[in-house]
Amino acid sequence: MKKQIIVVFLFLMGFQFVVSQDNTVIPDSLTNKSYDYLLERLLPILSNKNLANIYSKSYLNKGKKDRDTLKTLEGFYYLSIINDTSDSQKYTDSAIALSKNVRDYLPSLYLNKGYFYHIDRKYKLAIDNYLIAKKIAEEEGQYLLFPDIDYNLGLVKLRIGAYKQALSTFRENYKYSIKNNLHNNNPYSHMLTLSGLAFAFKYNNQTDSASYYNQLGLTEALKLEDTIAYNKAKVFEGILSYDQGKYKNARDSILKYIPYMEIAKDSINICLSRFYLGKTYQNLGDLPNAILQFKKVDTLIEKSSGYLIEVRENYNILYKHYKSKSNSKLELKYLEKLINFDSILYSNNTYLNNTLFLKYDTPNLIKEKEKLISSLEKKNNTFSNGIYLLSILLLFMAGLAFYFFRKRKISKQRFELLVTQKEKEVVIPKKEKTTVSDNTIKEILKKLDKYELEKGYIDQNTSLEHLAKRLDTNSNYLSRVVNTYKSKNFSSYISDLRIEYAIVEIQKNKILQNYTIKAISAEFGFKNSESFTKAFYKKTGIYPSFYIKELKKGQSK
């Protein structure tokens, strides 16, 4: 959807388009632009994937057309750092294939490749590529890359449980950066090194040192105005508080900063944070909240495949909890998840230094699982009870089907009423006594009519105070007039105006019908899709997605 919006914008600005081989729409006018022109516009927008892809593809196509190996390679390189993992791997391999005689980009390309393997949990391949990157960087004198490469090497060692080796790597990296003044030349890499050191010290049970380097990392994050790194360090501060037995501090810190991890979609740190939050609640005697957090960790692991050895304990806790509650079904569920967790770690040879316990522990868990299944089988109901339950289920499903059929029928009727409604309903309120003078009321109502005509309500910053200032009155008078003469409070007044306008515009404008609900929400002044959907349903009795779907059906007939 974002890509479509960008394309529409460029079209309105007078651009013509060509389409690349992978269906990326490229303005035809960019084909004659210089490399410098394209690069000047590309570099500031690297984080804007859709727009950056347009300039990168233009750069790449120009390099291919000119048969310029270096420029083609650069085009692949820019695409590799813009796109998601699967596409980035493809572009990186294409760039490496062109780099036989152009070695400047090779260290960065192999660093990227190692990172892709790291994400895919192929740690041996990740290490191999990081080492190739470092070897070529040393040969080419690209010493500024050393901290980035060593940081990623240290992360792999942390991931496979080689904690002492990881600490050694981060320490050497830190010393090298300070000695060669790289902490000033490449402050972002220095900040990452501090973060890596903090984690390595934690996993080597040196909490005070971990806290010290985490504080240094916080300071660097503030200097660089890197909010993601700052929030990550604050969450880690909470985890360290847990290690120090400061459970209330740990709970408060993690609860405060974990939403920022979720905004950044940092699945690994979200998983760790919720795991430690669960352990914190456990130590504070709040078992219900602890179990809730452990279940959230389970969901995160399933969604992200984040098999961290540290959170293995999560399944052990859930399994033992339900065993103590004599809840055989949930006990079996989490026992099976624990066994599955172990099998993935072991089969992938993920944690090279920590798999021995799996060889001896897992068979015992499997025996426990078999006993549990046998116990559950003995408790199974008779066949007739099964038929009885099945009958109840079928009746429930039939009732559910009837409910959704009736709900859809009602929604359809409301939709038809909505699209055939020519004018909005006029409500004539009863005039109530008010302390506002008649002249003031008339003036405010006149200005409100103009405000509605000008569609001022689609401004997301609209508030009672904001509108009162715009109408040159005070918020108290405005609120009373709206309550009395519009028969609703101010919030409902603005919301209804927006929805009434949205109903008409969406029906008329087919382009809007292809927007996401989030984009439509912003178009009509709502700050998020949830508030728009709720307001739309309250006003019309149907959801906006259903309204758009039915409009499209009618157009296709």
Side-chain angles (χ1 to χ4, degrees):
M1 188 63 226
K2 291 180 180 177
K3 185 181 290 186
Q4 292 172 348
I5 294 171
I6 292 167
V7 170
V8 170
F9 171 76
L10 292 173
F11 178 78
L12 293 174
M13 294 299 291
F15 286 89
Q16 299 300 315
F17 298 96
V18 295
V19 180
S20 69
Q21 292 179 349
D22 62 352
N23 295 323
T24 299
V25 182
I26 299 173
D28 186 49
S29 58
L30 292 181
T31 58
N32 297 318
K33 298 297 184 183
S34 68
Y35 294 110
D36 288 341
Y37 175 92
L38 295 171
L39 203 56
E40 284 172 5
R41 283 150 183 80
L42 168 64
L43 295 180
I45 58 165
L46 287 175
S47 60
N48 186 331
K49 179 182 171 183
N50 294 313
L51 196 53
N53 260 313
I54 292 174
Y55 283 102
S56 298
K57 292 285 174 62
S58 299
Y59 196 99
L60 174 64
N61 289 348
K62 183 175 177 61
K64 288 180 176 180
K65 183 179 178 182
D66 295 345
R67 296 185 178 180
D68 188 324
T69 302
L70 177 59
K71 298 301 182 185
T72 303
L73 186 155
E74 289 175 347
F76 280 126
Y77 173 73
Y78 295 132
L79 287 166
S80 76
I81 61 177
I82 291 166
N83 286 280
D84 297 328
T85 304
S86 57
D87 288 333
S88 293
Q89 181 76 291
K90 176 184 68 177
Y91 293 128
T92 299
D93 288 338
S94 296
I96 289 173
L98 291 171
S99 299
K100 293 179 181 177
N101 299 317
V102 186
R103 293 170 58 84
D104 290 352
Y105 284 89
L106 275 176
S108 294
L109 291 168
Y110 277 107
L111 178 57
N112 280 0
K113 195 165 184 178
Y115 175 72
F116 304 142
Y117 283 126
H118 187 163
I119 291 175
D120 204 24
R121 302 194 306 277
K122 297 176 180 176
Y123 297 118
K124 185 180 184 304
L125 290 172
I127 291 173
D128 290 344
N129 280 276
Y130 289 148
L131 293 176
I132 292 171
K134 188 164 186 178
K135 181 176 181 295
I136 299 174
E138 187 173 12
E139 291 170 355
E140 298 299 314
Q142 296 184 22
Y143 302 112
L144 280 176
L145 274 179
F146 278 20
D148 291 336
I149 297 170
D150 286 340
Y151 169 76
N152 282 282
L153 275 168
L155 284 186
V156 174
K157 291 175 181 178
L158 283 179
R159 186 63 72 87
I160 66 175
Y163 299 138
K164 289 184 179 179
Q165 295 92 321
L167 179 57
S168 176
T169 297
F170 284 121
R171 272 177 162 166
E172 290 302 315
N173 192 16
Y174 179 76
K175 290 177 184 177
Y176 181 86
S177 294
I178 299 298
K179 181 180 178 181
N180 293 279
N181 201 35
L182 296 184
H183 59 296
N184 289 321
N185 295 328
N186 195 348
Y188 184 78
S189 292
H190 181 63
M191 179 185 68
L192 291 179
T193 297
L194 291 171
S195 172
L197 261 176
F199 271 91
F201 274 117
K202 176 215 166 5
Y203 292 126
N204 281 278
N205 299 315
Q206 298 181 45
T207 309
D208 290 341
S209 295
S211 182
Y212 171 76
Y213 284 102
N214 190 55
Q215 287 300 319
L216 291 181
L218 275 168
T219 302
E220 289 298 314
L222 285 171
K223 286 181 185 177
L224 295 171
E225 297 182 352
D226 189 327
T227 55
I228 293 177
Y230 176 82
N231 292 324
K232 179 180 173 181
K234 293 299 289 184
V235 168
F236 188 62
E237 191 174 65
I239 292 174
L240 292 176
S241 292
Y242 169 84
D243 288 344
Q244 294 165 342
K246 302 173 183 176
Y247 301 125
K248 289 184 178 179
N249 289 345
R251 177 197 60 196
D252 295 344
S253 183
I254 296 174
L255 280 174
K256 181 177 180 180
Y257 289 98
I258 200 171
Y260 299 108
M261 294 293 96
E262 291 171 339
I263 292 171
K265 297 181 180 178
D266 187 343
S267 58
I268 290 177
N269 280 293
I270 296 170
C271 193
L272 279 175
S273 301
R274 292 211 173 275
F275 172 63
Y276 275 98
L277 184 57
K279 293 183 72 174
T280 299
Y281 279 127
Q282 198 175 31
N283 279 277
L284 289 171
D286 188 349
L287 191 58
N289 266 324
I291 296 301
L292 177 64
Q293 294 303 322
F294 293 137
K295 286 185 174 181
K296 286 185 177 182
V297 172
D298 170 41
T299 302
L300 287 165
I301 291 171
E302 287 185 343
K303 287 183 177 179
S304 65
S305 299
Y307 291 90
L308 299 168
I309 194 169
E310 188 169 3
V311 299
R312 177 185 184 272
E313 184 187 353
N314 191 77
Y315 288 117
N316 206 29
I317 291 171
L318 288 170
Y319 153 59
K320 289 183 177 178
H321 169 72
Y322 286 109
K323 184 175 184 178
S324 69
K325 298 290 183 182
S326 299
N327 188 329
S328 300
K329 289 184 178 179
L330 288 178
E331 179 190 352
L332 178 59
K333 174 183 175 179
Y334 290 109
L335 177 57
E336 287 180 332
K337 288 198 171 194
L338 176 58
I339 293 170
N340 182 59
F341 190 96
D342 286 353
S343 68
I344 289 173
L345 295 184
Y346 185 68
S347 63
N348 288 343
N349 199 23
T350 302
Y351 300 96
L352 304 177
N353 296 319
N354 294 279
T355 54
L356 283 177
F357 79 94
L358 298 176
K359 294 180 183 178
Y360 299 106
D361 198 20
T362 301
N364 292 330
L365 293 176
I366 292 173
K367 288 181 181 178
E368 186 69 24
K369 172 186 171 182
E370 289 171 351
K371 289 179 183 178
L372 192 54
I373 290 173
S374 176
S375 174
L376 282 170
E377 285 175 348
K378 291 178 182 178
K379 294 177 183 178
N380 281 344
N381 292 324
T382 63
F383 178 76
S384 59
N385 284 337
I387 295 296
Y388 173 73
L389 290 173
L390 182 60
S391 300
I392 293 175
L393 180 61
L394 289 172
L395 284 172
F396 171 76
M397 290 176 68
L400 201 61
F402 176 77
Y403 166 78
F404 283 112
F405 170 79
R406 179 171 172 77
K407 184 178 179 182
R408 178 172 179 80
K409 185 177 179 181
I410 292 171
S411 295
K412 183 75 174 176
Q413 291 171 346
R414 288 173 177 172
F415 166 78
E416 290 171 354
L417 182 64
L418 201 59
V419 296
T420 55
Q421 185 176 309
K422 300 301 180 182
E423 296 180 356
K424 69 178 183 180
E425 182 182 357
V426 178
V427 179
I428 303 174
K430 295 179 181 178
K431 185 175 178 181
E432 298 174 359
K433 291 183 179 180
T434 175
T435 58
V436 186
S437 69
D438 289 345
N439 287 337
T440 300
I441 291 171
K442 289 178 181 178
E443 187 66 20
I444 291 175
L445 286 173
K446 182 180 178 181
K447 290 178 179 179
L448 280 176
D449 287 341
K450 183 181 178 184
Y451 171 75
E452 293 177 15
L453 189 64
E454 293 174 347
K455 309 294 187 296
Y457 45 79
I458 64 174
D459 182 355
Q460 286 189 350
N461 295 317
T462 297
S463 65
L464 180 62
E465 291 74 20
H466 178 268
L467 183 54
K469 188 175 181 181
R470 175 171 173 168
L471 302 185
D472 195 25
T473 185
N474 67 57
S475 56
N476 187 25
Y477 285 177
L478 178 59
S479 177
R480 291 183 184 183
V481 169
V482 169
N483 288 342
T484 302
Y485 291 89
K486 302 296 181 179
S487 295
K488 59 190 77 174
N489 62 37
F490 181 80
S491 178
S492 296
Y493 167 64
I494 296 298
S495 179
D496 286 352
L497 286 173
R498 289 170 175 171
I499 295 301
E500 288 163 3
Y501 182 46
I503 290 167
V504 176
E505 284 301 299
I506 294 171
Q507 187 177 356
K508 290 193 305 184
N509 192 339
K510 291 183 180 180
I511 293 177
L512 278 176
Q513 294 172 19
N514 292 317
Y515 278 23
T516 62
I517 296 299
K518 183 178 180 181
I520 293 174
S521 303
E523 192 78 19
F524 294 103
F526 291 89
K527 291 187 177 180
N528 55 64
S529 57
E530 289 80 5
S531 58
F532 170 66
T533 301
K534 185 177 179 180
F536 195 101
Y537 186 86
K538 181 180 178 182
K539 182 72 177 173
T540 66
I542 61 175
Y543 292 103
S545 56
F546 180 84
Y547 178 62
I548 293 169
K549 183 179 177 182
E550 291 300 312
L551 285 174
K552 288 183 175 180
K553 278 185 182 178
Q555 293 161 8
S556 64
K557 290 179 181 178

